[in-house]
Amino acid sequence: MSAAAVPAVASPHRAWVTDLPVLAVAVVWGASYLAAKGITTAHTVVAVLVLRFAIVLPVLVATGWRRLRALTGAQWRGAGLLGLVLSGIFLLETYGVVHTSATNAGLIISLTMIFTPLAEAAVTRVRPSAGFVAAAGLSVAGVILLTQGGGFTSPSGGDLLMLLAALARTVHVLAMARIKAVQDADSLSLTTVQLGAAVAVFAVLAAVPGTGASPWSTAADFGAREWAGLVFLSVFCTLFAFFVQMWSVRRTSPSRVSLLLGTEPLWAAAVGISLGGERLGLLGAAGAVLVLAGTAWGRRGADRERAGGVTTVAGQ
């Protein structure tokens, strides 16, 4: 991204014109956990993933066909590898949300904002600041409390899957930063190839006996509510979100976009509690506050360190 693509000074009116669509992305992403939970069972996870991305993939291919053809072989291989990691993320997230609450899912996945800088520090051998480590500890303590809303018990299988999904997201971010072939690739093409590789994985899994219902039988069993949920996940949480991000980063700073998208767990909790009828309990509410405080503190600390040249993230 060239420096000229980001305006040096934006009026408050202009800033809100850019901010509102990005905030809308955070809202729909927050709502996506409840939407996925509402249309998916443990028996239909793979089928729903095939349907969700098969709907949007042709649109992405048609939109970026010329740029797809311009990708080099190394870029195709790099994007395909990232797509394999992406398929793992979606499988973990979707199975996870089936077995936990939408509120827990949204808050636990936000730990990616803490895990990524810690993993980057381990890879680059640059020690994170004491403040960042403290923020990470606060977030982890919050997750422990979050999963104990009804008293101290073992975390659910869904909570653990969401934790693994957060770690997988971290791997995905680091891989994007370290696979040189994809760093100069067109964003639309890179996303299209990744989603194509993920859909291929889901389609293969769907064909394996014992992995659940087929996409076709699942689609045939869907009623109006399930189709509405699938369209929401496909059109708003995927297509709309991707294009808004591409549009917004050319009109404002990446840090501002990241800050707004960082409100996703707030919306996940709000939607889960208000629409899903979920309850956190006193311990869970305390844990949610700690997760949000820790991730916000850690994000600000990581941004300050980047600005000061302490760490460098390639490919951003």
Side-chain angles (χ1 to χ4, degrees):
M1 183 196 311
S2 67
V6 178
V9 179
S11 67
H13 174 71
R14 174 71 177 276
W16 275 108
V17 168
T18 306
D19 288 351
L20 284 176
V22 179
L23 191 60
V25 170
V27 173
V28 298
W29 276 355
S32 68
Y33 300 102
L34 187 61
K37 191 174 180 67
I39 68 171
T40 313
T41 67
H43 191 61
T44 62
V45 167
V46 175
V48 168
L49 286 172
V50 171
L51 294 171
R52 173 180 175 178
F53 295 107
I55 289 174
V56 301
L57 195 59
V59 178
L60 292 175
V61 171
T63 303
W65 178 246
R66 289 185 179 180
R67 283 172 284 186
L68 274 173
R69 294 180 61 187
L71 291 178
T72 66
Q75 288 172 331
W76 274 94
R77 289 189 295 273
L81 179 61
L82 290 172
L84 295 180
V85 178
L86 192 64
S87 67
I89 293 171
F90 281 116
L91 285 167
L92 288 168
E93 286 185 357
T94 311
Y95 275 112
V97 79
V98 167
H99 295 291
T100 189
S101 68
T103 302
N104 277 24
L107 289 164
I108 293 172
I109 203 68
S110 70
L111 288 178
T112 302
M113 290 184 283
I114 295 294
F115 291 159
T116 301
L118 288 176
E120 182 189 8
V123 170
T124 60
R125 298 184 180 180
V126 176
R127 181 178 298 177
S129 67
F132 186 86
V133 173
L138 191 67
S139 298
V140 172
V143 167
I144 293 172
L145 288 177
L146 175 67
T147 60
Q148 310 304 313
F152 282 94
T153 59
S154 299
S156 72
D159 294 331
L160 295 176
L161 287 172
M162 294 308 300
L163 190 61
L164 289 174
L167 291 170
R169 280 195 184 190
T170 297
V171 171
H172 187 258
V173 172
L174 292 182
M176 287 189 68
R178 299 185 71 82
I179 298 176
K180 294 181 179 180
V182 304
Q183 291 176 12
D184 297 324
D186 170 69
S187 297
L188 175 60
S189 301
L190 182 61
T191 300
T192 303
V193 175
Q194 287 186 80
L195 288 182
V199 169
V201 171
F202 303 147
V204 169
L205 289 176
V208 175
T211 55
S214 72
W216 328 119
S217 63
T218 299
D221 290 338
F222 272 2
R225 184 181 67 86
E226 288 79 12
W227 276 109
L230 184 66
V231 169
F232 174 76
L233 290 171
S234 298
V235 175
F236 290 96
C237 299
T238 306
L239 273 182
F240 169 75
F242 172 73
F243 284 110
V244 164
Q245 286 182 88
M246 286 193 65
W247 172 81
S248 63
V249 296
R250 287 166 172 79
R251 290 164 175 80
T252 187
S253 70
S255 296
R256 192 175 182 94
V257 172
S258 176
L259 182 64
L260 292 166
L261 292 179
T263 64
E264 176 189 344
L266 283 171
W267 300 110
V271 171
I273 293 169
S274 63
L275 299 181
E278 298 175 353
R279 296 292 182 267
L280 285 175
L282 185 59
L283 287 176
V289 170
L290 290 182
V291 170
L292 295 172
T295 52
W297 182 13
R299 186 170 60 247
R300 285 197 298 269
D303 288 343
R304 282 196 299 270
E305 289 184 357
R306 266 189 213 104
V310 176
T311 59
T312 301
V313 181
Q316 296 297 309

